[in-house]
Amino acid sequence: MFSFLRKKKQHPASFAGMTDSHSHILPGVDDGVREMETSLSILHHYEKLGISEVWFTPHIMEDVPNTTEDLKARFEQFKKEYDGPVKLHLAAEYMMDYAFEQRLADRDLLEHGPGRVLVETSYLEPPAGLDNILFNIQAAGYTPILAHPERYLYMDMGKYPKLHELGILFQLNWGSLGGLYGKHVQERAFRLLKDGLYDMSGSDIHTRRMYPYYEGILLDEGDSLPCE
Ligand SMILES: [Fe+2]
């Protein structure tokens, strides 16, 4: 009786003062935003939400062979176009494929803060030797940040705390909480959030069509979006 009375209090997620730690806003370099005008419009939207910092993290993988030098040059060019208050940073989102292992050996990496690298795997299956690759990143002196771990439905739930204990940082996608990638990813994201496993979060924005998925997020009382 009156079960609705027992429902937990919820509140809309706040983005005020947040750092977007993962985005595809730098135009024309991957499957994210294509036009400068759209990139600027997203940043102006961020200003209204109160987001204070954003990491541009273009894909680098065998299929999207961006180079460190080219991305740096494009980022410098971009900063001349934007004069608003959102602080901009450049890193990359590295697929842990063979090309990445070569870049790691060459130390040719765009860092996500000193000594950190944002890495991802396929959504369908882990790369062969995932544990070894993560270990090799750490052995090379870097801290891996695993992008959107909740999207790796192949991963056993017991694996997450083990990886986190090994010092691998976790980055939550806002859209995962908002249902953008389906119910299973959403449930996993809320589980990992409740378990306190996230170190940071971000939009992973590719297009403005993603706005409703992270602006409609409802969090339980006491919960907030992870931010460093
Ligand atoms: Fe991404």
Side-chain angles (χ1 to χ4, degrees):
M1 183 176 153
F2 300 128
S3 61
F4 64 93
L5 290 176
R6 292 198 299 272
K7 253 190 160 179
K8 276 187 185 170
K9 267 192 189 167
Q10 291 190 308
H11 63 278
S14 167
F15 295 89
M18 284 290 296
T19 295
D20 179 355
S21 60
H22 180 165
S23 77
H24 298 272
I25 296 173
L26 190 64
V29 293
D30 60 11
D31 61 343
V33 175
R34 301 180 84 87
E35 307 292 336
M36 172 66 76
E37 200 186 326
T38 311
S39 305
L40 294 174
S41 133
I42 291 173
L43 291 178
H44 293 141
H45 187 69
Y46 276 17
E47 291 169 20
K48 287 183 207 143
L49 292 173
I51 292 172
S52 54
E53 299 188 33
V54 54
W55 283 87
F56 289 177
T57 54
H59 286 291
I60 296 187
M61 58 175 85
E62 283 165 6
D63 295 339
V64 189
N66 280 314
T67 66
T68 301
E69 292 318 309
D70 183 53
L71 290 177
K72 275 185 181 171
R74 284 168 183 263
F75 181 61
E76 288 310 310
Q77 195 58 38
F78 186 91
K79 284 196 290 186
K80 289 180 192 157
E81 303 286 330
Y82 176 70
D83 61 358
V86 180
K87 203 171 167 193
L88 308 179
H89 309 277
L90 177 69
E93 179 183 20
Y94 294 97
M95 178 63 73
M96 288 185 277
D97 54 18
Y98 178 73
F100 172 73
E101 293 187 68
Q102 191 55 53
R103 285 172 187 277
L104 178 65
D106 296 341
R107 307 187 75 80
D108 175 23
L109 298 169
L110 284 162
E111 297 180 16
H112 194 295
R116 293 171 165 192
V117 239
L118 182 69
V119 290
E120 66 168 342
T121 82
S122 149
Y123 302 124
L124 304 174
E125 56 184 6
L130 172 62
D131 290 358
N132 272 339
I133 301 172
L134 292 170
F135 174 80
N136 288 341
I137 296 171
Q138 290 180 311
Y142 296 100
T143 300
I145 303 170
L146 191 58
H148 37 64
E150 69 279 359
R151 296 194 66 188
Y152 308 134
L153 293 176
Y154 65 75
M155 199 171 273
D156 188 90
M157 285 308 286
K159 179 92 174 167
Y160 292 102
K162 285 183 190 153
L163 289 176
H164 205 245
E165 273 165 30
L166 288 171
I168 289 143
L169 304 179
F170 286 176
Q171 175 260 312
L172 162 73
N173 269 14
W174 298 333
S176 299
L177 295 178
L180 174 61
Y181 314 104
K183 187 165 67 85
H184 296 300
V185 170
Q186 188 177 35
E187 286 169 358
R188 214 169 258 237
F190 274 105
R191 179 75 265 146
L192 298 177
L193 181 69
K194 299 241 170 265
D195 290 347
L197 290 174
Y198 287 119
D199 302 284
M200 62 194 80
S201 65
S203 65
D204 199 1
I205 192 165
H206 287 66
T207 152
R208 286 175 288 187
R209 288 194 295 274
M210 289 168 72
Y211 287 169
Y213 291 97
Y214 50 78
E215 288 170 25
I217 300 169
L218 285 176
L219 297 172
D220 288 341
E221 203 171 15
D223 286 346
S224 57
L225 293 177
C227 186
E228 287 187 295

